[in-house]
């Protein structure tokens, strides 16, 4: 029993040691006379074919202001030593005269790992990188298979420059790309090809702001003026579409509701004293939203974002509504002492526009038949002179009649005074004395006549003031009604403009929901 246990223990310890020796011997044999500066091709005139695939993990951030995209991705390099026409990987045998071994001679070892830099690797870099280190990949081990296939998957967080088109922001689609190419090898020495399924998004973590509806791969060859050789590069395109839910609920809807608040200013009576305050508050709110959009957009003059156009349109509406509110208040507080309403203004604001807007005014029945002509023609000069002469005659007759009545009344009072001895006889004509002697009136009637005479003059003054007050009140009410008409007209016009501009601006967007 002790012998069997000893043999079993030796077997357990001997197996790992044997495997480790085989792997060490394999490493020593592969690295013997190996130069990592040598291109792994048997014929130096043949290029090294390198297939590249990008496995996208996550779109971390899209910095529109600095036009930089942060991406977490894995680069999948597959290198072969001889050119092949097929792009089917992992299913064909490729020979590398430096990194090929027989599995049976090395304990059935199928693959080994080498640190990056231990063996030759292509100097493929990300051309449009804006990282401070430029090459932001993590130098992982390289896997070498017994057939000579070299597999290298360096992960990294890439910062790529991307031209951000803000014309349709936030309903925009961006097309960013990774541009990979060899830094020193031309196309005759290193043939860079996209691998099968060149853009792998099977492990992609969806982004909350950007949708990824499409990815494409494109290979290009560029000839420079300095060199006749082609320089190949591979572009991996990201077709990103912005999700609009966040911007709709946090920017667009508040701005629309804030702009609609301006319409309430036209329904607020001028005597409330808050019309201007409401309009200025809404204007400041729109300016605040516009500043948020300007902070999110890159400082470029190539295009104005769609959301910026919408906010600017809202700001113009609110500014115009503030101006018209000031005009409405000006009309409302006008008086006949300071302003006189012209005939064209009267016909337009008191008759035509209220009839078009179907407004009701107490005491006035507006119909099309009762509307005055909008542009009143000047009357004939002969008719004007005739009317003026008639009025002058009526005025002179009324003045003459009132003068005669006053003379008779004064004469009667004087005769009564003479009969009572109140006036000296020398100052009274003989005709008045004779008439005074022939009349006899009580003292009470004399006092009544004096009081009636004074009441008559007071009533004339009071009646005149009442008529003038009614005219002033009617003129003031006309100005107030004109202000109400302008308010109602602005309410309709600005409502139509806000609805039409909102629909027109957002209808032009490439999409509304992503």
């Amino acid at each position: 029993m002790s012998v069997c246990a000893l043999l079993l223990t030796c077997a357990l310890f001997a197996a790992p040691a044997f495997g480790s020796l085989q792997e060490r011997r394999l490493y020593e044999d592969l690295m013997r006379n190996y130069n990592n500066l040598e291109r792994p091709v048997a014929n130096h005139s043949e290029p090294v074919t390198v297939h590249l695939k990008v496995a996208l993990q996550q779109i971390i951030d899209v910095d529109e202001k600095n036009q930089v995209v942060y991406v977490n991705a894995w680069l999948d390099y597959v290198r072969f030593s001889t050119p092949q026409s097929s792009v089917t990987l992992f299913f064909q045998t490729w020979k590398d005269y430096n990194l090929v071994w027989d599995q049976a001679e090395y304990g059935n070892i199928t693959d080994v790992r080498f640190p990056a830099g231990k063996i030759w690797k292509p100097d493929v870099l990300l051309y449009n990188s804006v990282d401070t280190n430029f090459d932001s990949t993590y130098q992982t081990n390289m896997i070498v298979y017994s057939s000579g296939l070299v597999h290298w998957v360096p992960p990294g967080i890439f910062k790529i420059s991307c031209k951000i088109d803000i014309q349709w922001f936030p309903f925009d689609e961006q097309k960013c790309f990774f541009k990979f190419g060899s830094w020193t090898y031309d196309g005759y020495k290193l043939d860079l090809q996209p691998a099968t399924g060149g853009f792998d998004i099977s492990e992609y973590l969806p982004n909350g702001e950007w949708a990824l509806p499409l990815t494409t791969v494109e290979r290009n060859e560029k000839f420079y003026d300095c060199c006749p050789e082609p320089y190949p590069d591979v572009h991996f395109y990201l077709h990103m579409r912005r999700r609009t839910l966040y911007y709709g609920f946090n920017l667009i809807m508040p701005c629309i509701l804030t702009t609609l608040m301006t319409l309430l200013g036209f329904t607020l009576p001028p005597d409330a004293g808050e019309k201007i305050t409401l309009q200025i508050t809404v204007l400041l709110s729109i300016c605040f939203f516009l500043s948020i959009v300007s902070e999110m957009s890159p400082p470029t003059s190539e295009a104005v974002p769609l959301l910026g156009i919408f906010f600017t349109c809202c700001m113009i509406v609110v500014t115009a509504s503030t101006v018209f509110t000031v005009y409405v208040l000006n009309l409302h507080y006008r008086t006949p002492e300071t302003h006189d309403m012209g005939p064209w203004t009267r016909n337009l604001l008191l008759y035509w526009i209220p009839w078009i807007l179907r407004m009701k005014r107490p005491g006035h029945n507006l119909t099309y038949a009762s509307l005055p002509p909008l542009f009143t023609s000047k009357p004939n000069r002969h008719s004007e002179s005739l009317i003026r002469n008639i009025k002058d005659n009526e005025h002179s007759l009324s003045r003459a009649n009132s003068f005669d009545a006053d003379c008779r009344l004064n004469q009667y009072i004087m005769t009564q005074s003479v009969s009572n001895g109140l006036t000296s006889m020398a100052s009274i004509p003989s005709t008045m004395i004779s008439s005074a002697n022939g009349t006899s009136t009580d003292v009470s009637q004399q006092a009544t006549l004096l009081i009636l005479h004074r009441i008559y003059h007071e009533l004339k003054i009071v009646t005149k003031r009442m008529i003038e007050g009614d005219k002033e009140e009617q003129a003031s009410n006309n100005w107030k009604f004109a202000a109400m008409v302008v308010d109602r007209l602005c309410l309709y016009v600005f409502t139509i403009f806000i609805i039409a501009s909102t629909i027109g601006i957002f209808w032009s967007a490439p999409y509304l929901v992503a």
Side-chain angles (χ1 to χ4, degrees):
M1 291 294 294
S2 59
V3 176
C4 293
L6 181 61
L7 293 175
L8 182 60
T9 303
C10 292
L12 291 175
F13 283 100
F18 179 76
S20 178
L21 290 175
Q22 296 292 343
E23 191 171 356
R24 177 184 299 178
R25 186 166 62 88
L26 177 58
Y27 275 115
E28 291 176 353
D29 292 344
L30 292 177
M31 291 292 99
R32 186 177 294 115
N33 298 326
Y34 186 87
N35 189 353
N36 58 358
L37 301 178
E38 175 191 355
R39 285 188 309 115
V41 288
N43 187 356
H44 69 88
S45 62
E46 296 177 351
V48 178
T49 303
V50 177
H51 290 79
L52 177 62
K53 180 173 69 174
V54 174
L56 184 64
Q57 301 297 312
Q58 182 184 7
I59 298 176
I60 300 175
D61 186 26
V62 178
D63 188 357
E64 295 95 342
K65 193 173 185 63
N66 297 316
Q67 305 193 49
V68 176
V69 180
Y70 298 83
V71 177
N72 180 14
W74 299 351
L75 302 183
D76 194 345
Y77 290 95
V78 183
R79 173 176 62 82
F80 302 104
S81 60
T82 56
Q84 300 290 332
S85 59
S86 174
V87 295
T88 305
L89 308 180
F90 309 110
F91 297 100
Q92 296 186 19
T93 303
W94 309 93
K95 299 296 181 180
D96 187 336
Y97 71 99
N98 284 328
L99 300 177
V100 178
W101 70 89
D102 187 3
Q103 299 181 13
E105 295 181 1
Y106 295 94
N108 294 326
I109 296 176
T110 58
D111 55 75
V112 291
R113 275 81 177 161
F114 287 96
K118 188 69 175 180
I119 61 176
W120 183 90
K121 69 181 181 69
D123 59 343
V124 176
L125 294 176
L126 179 62
Y127 275 37
N128 57 335
S129 174
V130 293
D131 194 271
T132 54
N133 297 324
F134 198 78
D135 185 12
S136 58
T137 57
Y138 182 75
Q139 302 298 311
T140 58
N141 291 335
M142 309 172 75
I143 303 176
V144 180
Y145 296 93
S146 60
S147 59
L149 184 145
V150 180
H151 194 190
W152 184 34
V153 186
I157 297 177
F158 300 94
K159 296 168 61 176
I160 60 175
S161 61
C162 179
K163 178 66 175 178
I164 303 296
D165 184 10
I166 62 171
Q167 181 179 1
W168 305 109
F169 174 82
F171 308 97
D172 54 335
E173 295 179 341
Q174 304 298 334
K175 185 178 180 182
C176 301
F177 61 88
F178 300 86
K179 181 182 178 181
F180 289 98
S182 175
W183 197 256
T184 58
Y185 292 109
D186 56 64
Y188 297 145
K189 296 180 176 60
L190 192 148
D191 184 16
L192 185 62
Q193 295 285 343
T196 302
F199 220 140
D200 184 11
I201 57 173
S202 59
E203 299 295 330
Y204 172 69
L205 180 63
N207 187 273
E209 184 180 359
W210 295 92
L212 191 66
L214 181 64
T215 58
T216 57
V217 182
E218 180 182 346
R219 183 183 183 273
N220 302 311
E221 286 187 355
K222 188 173 184 179
F223 292 87
Y224 294 93
D225 296 336
C226 64
C227 312
E229 300 85 4
Y231 284 84
D233 59 72
V234 180
H235 287 68
F236 297 88
Y237 288 95
L238 292 169
H239 299 262
M240 300 181 296
R241 177 177 293 178
R242 193 188 301 269
R243 303 180 190 271
T244 59
L245 184 62
Y246 171 82
Y247 298 94
F249 275 92
N250 292 277
L251 288 178
I252 298 175
M253 286 299 296
C255 182
I256 292 177
L257 296 177
T258 304
T259 306
L260 292 177
M261 292 291 289
T262 59
L263 303 179
L264 297 179
F266 295 119
T267 61
L268 196 65
D271 295 330
E274 298 294 335
K275 291 174 72 70
I276 295 294
T277 305
L278 177 62
Q279 302 292 353
I280 293 177
T281 303
V282 173
L283 180 61
L284 293 177
S285 302
I286 298 299
C287 293
F288 171 73
F289 285 117
L290 189 60
S291 64
I292 294 178
V293 176
S294 63
E295 291 178 358
M296 299 173 62
S297 305
T300 178
S301 300
E302 296 180 355
V304 179
L306 186 67
L307 192 60
I309 295 175
F310 173 69
F311 284 162
T312 303
C313 183
C314 293
M315 187 169 63
I316 293 174
V317 169
V318 177
T319 304
S321 65
T322 305
V323 173
F324 278 98
T325 301
V326 173
Y327 178 67
V328 166
L329 293 176
N330 191 330
L331 291 179
H332 181 79
Y333 290 105
R334 285 186 180 183
T335 58
E337 289 81 4
T338 59
H339 294 84
D340 188 16
M341 185 177 292
W344 187 81
T345 304
R346 180 185 301 274
N347 295 338
L348 184 65
L349 295 182
L350 300 185
Y351 297 99
W352 280 93
I353 296 181
W355 176 76
I356 294 173
L357 300 180
R358 296 295 185 265
M359 295 180 64
K360 303 291 184 180
R361 187 180 183 184
H364 295 78
N365 186 17
L366 294 177
T367 59
Y368 183 77
S370 63
L371 292 178
L374 186 60
F375 300 98
T376 306
S377 60
K378 293 184 179 180
N380 194 1
R381 293 182 178 180
H382 298 287
S383 61
E384 286 184 356
S385 60
L386 179 61
I387 293 172
R388 189 181 301 110
N389 293 331
I390 293 173
K391 289 184 177 180
D392 291 341
N393 292 331
E394 291 179 352
H395 184 64
S396 61
L397 289 174
S398 62
R399 290 182 61 185
N401 293 332
S402 61
F403 180 75
D404 292 340
D406 289 341
C407 290
R408 291 176 183 177
L409 184 61
N410 290 330
Q411 183 180 1
Y412 182 74
I413 293 172
M414 292 298 294
T415 55
Q416 298 302 320
S417 299
V418 169
S419 62
N420 292 327
L422 297 176
T423 307
S424 61
M425 299 298 294
S427 60
I428 302 175
S430 60
T431 56
M432 294 180 63
I433 294 173
S434 61
S435 61
N437 292 329
T439 60
S440 60
T441 308
D442 296 336
V443 178
S444 60
Q445 292 180 355
Q446 298 176 14
T448 303
L449 290 175
L450 292 173
I451 294 172
L452 289 175
H453 184 263
R454 184 174 298 177
I455 291 174
Y456 168 72
H457 285 285
E458 295 294 334
L459 285 176
K460 286 177 63 178
I461 296 173
V462 171
T463 304
K464 182 179 179 181
R465 290 182 178 178
M466 290 179 63
I467 293 174
E468 291 178 353
D470 291 341
K471 291 182 178 179
E472 292 179 357
E473 184 179 0
Q474 183 180 2
S476 179
N477 291 334
N478 288 338
W479 284 116
K480 291 181 180 180
F481 184 72
M484 187 184 302
V485 170
V486 175
D487 248 346
R488 185 67 59 85
L489 178 64
C490 291
L491 176 63
Y492 291 158
V493 171
F494 281 98
T495 301
I496 295 173
F497 182 79
I498 291 174
I499 295 175
S501 60
T502 302
I503 295 176
I505 289 174
F506 292 114
W507 190 266
S508 63
Y511 64 94
L512 293 179
V513 179

